[in-house]
Amino acid sequence: MEEVTPTPRTLQYVVPPPFDESSSGDCYFVSSEGIRFKVLRHSLIHTTRYFEEFFKDVPASTSQNDLPTFYFDEKASTLHALLIVLYPVHTEEFIDVQSLRELTERQEKYDIPDSTMMYAVASIVGRNYNGPNPVDDVMDVYAIAWSNGYRNEAKHFSRFTHRVDLTDQTVVDKLIRNSGSSKSYMALMELRREREAALDGIIEALEPKKHFCLSHSSSDTMFFAFISMIKTAARNALLEPCPACLDAFEFLGLQGTDERRTVTWCSTCFSKANKEKLTNQLQAAIERYPQTISMYVLTSTRLNSIHRVAKHAL
């Protein structure tokens, strides 16, 4: 039991079942903010050595009106996360990434088994992996997947990071800290490098040398100025995690449905181009375009995770 003084209660945190007042608990756990969780001792006593010792000398409750109360120095969300992973009911949807991280930092304190923590990690990774888009912050779930050796999941999450500013030192420091390795950052930077290099293949699919008009291809200065504009348009269009191209010109903003163009040039350029052919070529180039980190950079992470769990089991 933590020797702390409870702070005044707040209405900001609503305790859901099975820890609310209507539950059949026989004691109260109180967070640092004064939020009460009604808990069944026999559901916790054998989950960790910590709670086995915690409840050893606590007498049985004689009345629902006078249940023993224990104060913890954890805030409500962290205490709730602790109860969720230890209780024999699985409601991991209530655990957010921040609570999981705080719980991980307290794993040794509460002697939480690795298998229990890994179940919580898997639940959060799974709910972000199985949907069309991550529901939590993509850099957070990418870091969690990386640090726990989920190779396919980390690779999947990396396709949602294209808009993240990797020159922001705060973002980089947080990623390295939460993933436990600078390689998580290096993998994303290598993906950025690969994507920039592969832009040439996107441009080549449009056959610019063949379809630029004479005045816009007569000098290298003019030609490469327009190539630079197309590259910028392609770079922006390919920030989507799963880019889809139905029309080559509209995809790159060469000519939109409202006739407004991201890349402006004369009406002669591409006037005789076979749009269907160029669209098919661009679609093929997009399919080859790097969207995720390479698998090989994750191998050592996965092996280290397996070794850690196996060592604990022995």
Side-chain angles (χ1 to χ4, degrees):
M1 183 169 60
E2 307 299 328
E3 296 296 331
V4 298
T5 302
T7 59
R9 293 187 65 183
T10 175
L11 299 177
Q12 293 181 347
Y13 197 92
V14 178
V15 178
F19 310 115
D20 59 343
E21 289 292 338
S22 64
S23 76
S24 57
D26 55 9
C27 67
Y28 286 108
F29 282 10
V30 183
S31 72
S32 60
E33 312 100 319
I35 303 298
R36 298 203 306 178
F37 295 83
K38 204 173 183 181
V39 178
L40 275 171
R41 277 177 279 181
H42 75 261
S43 295
L44 289 177
I45 195 168
H46 297 302
T47 57
T48 73
R49 292 188 182 92
Y50 176 90
F51 282 112
E52 191 172 338
E53 291 294 321
F54 185 92
F55 288 119
K56 185 167 61 175
D57 298 321
V58 177
S61 304
T62 58
S63 170
Q64 282 288 318
N65 297 322
D66 189 27
L67 300 181
T69 300
F70 307 102
Y71 297 98
F72 290 76
D73 58 5
E74 276 70 38
K75 62 184 182 181
S77 58
T78 307
L79 185 56
H80 188 193
L82 174 65
L83 293 173
I84 286 174
V85 300
L86 296 180
Y87 236 60
V89 290
H90 304 307
T91 53
E92 279 75 11
E93 65 273 14
F94 288 112
I95 302 180
D96 58 26
V97 172
Q98 182 60 34
S99 296
L100 176 66
R101 188 174 300 119
E102 292 173 357
L103 195 59
T104 302
E105 294 171 355
R106 291 161 175 78
Q107 182 177 2
E108 183 176 354
K109 172 182 177 180
Y110 290 108
D111 201 17
I112 306 172
D114 277 354
S115 59
T116 301
M117 284 301 303
M118 288 302 292
Y119 184 86
V121 169
S123 297
I124 287 183
V125 170
R127 79 182 182 207
N128 285 279
Y129 181 78
N130 295 325
N133 299 290
V135 296
D136 297 300
D137 181 86
V138 66
M139 294 300 284
D140 284 341
V141 294
Y142 171 74
I144 288 173
W146 183 287
S147 65
N148 288 279
Y150 288 91
R151 295 194 301 167
N152 290 332
E153 289 80 358
K155 179 179 179 181
H156 170 74
F157 295 143
S158 68
R159 73 166 56 246
F160 296 92
T161 66
H162 304 323
R163 296 183 185 276
V164 177
D165 183 4
L166 294 181
T167 65
D168 186 332
Q169 195 60 44
T170 302
V171 172
V172 175
D173 291 344
K174 181 181 178 183
L175 169 61
I176 295 174
R177 181 174 64 252
N178 293 340
S179 68
S181 171
S182 61
K183 291 182 179 179
S184 61
Y185 164 70
M186 294 165 60
L188 291 181
M189 289 302 294
E190 175 62 15
L191 174 60
R192 296 284 173 96
R193 186 198 65 77
E194 292 173 353
R195 287 167 61 83
E196 188 63 24
L199 281 176
D200 288 340
I202 299 294
I203 304 305
E204 289 172 4
L206 293 173
E207 302 176 344
K209 291 183 179 180
K210 181 177 179 181
H211 296 295
F212 276 6
C213 71
L214 182 61
S215 62
H216 288 152
S217 59
S218 58
S219 71
D220 288 345
T221 300
M222 181 67 74
F223 178 79
F224 286 111
F226 277 97
I227 290 295
S228 177
M229 286 191 289
I230 297 177
K231 269 194 174 184
T232 299
R235 194 180 291 113
N236 291 332
L238 291 165
L239 290 175
E240 293 298 318
C242 301
C245 173
L246 301 179
D247 182 293
F249 291 177
E250 290 185 18
F251 180 78
L252 295 180
L254 308 184
Q255 181 177 335
T257 53
D258 58 1
E259 300 304 320
R260 290 184 299 178
R261 302 179 179 186
T262 302
V263 181
T264 57
W265 48 42
C266 71
S267 58
T268 307
C269 291
F270 283 91
S271 61
K272 297 181 180 180
N274 183 328
K275 183 184 288 189
E276 181 179 356
K277 175 189 174 185
L278 294 184
T279 296
N280 290 337
Q281 291 177 176
L282 183 57
Q283 288 173 340
I286 291 172
E287 289 179 2
R288 296 189 297 269
Y289 191 73
Q291 290 288 358
T292 61
I293 59 175
S294 300
M295 293 288 285
Y296 74 89
V297 299
L298 295 167
T299 303
S300 61
T301 305
R302 181 61 174 166
L303 291 176
N304 289 339
S305 177
I306 294 173
H307 176 72
R308 184 176 66 252
V309 173
K311 182 178 180 181
H312 182 84
L314 293 173

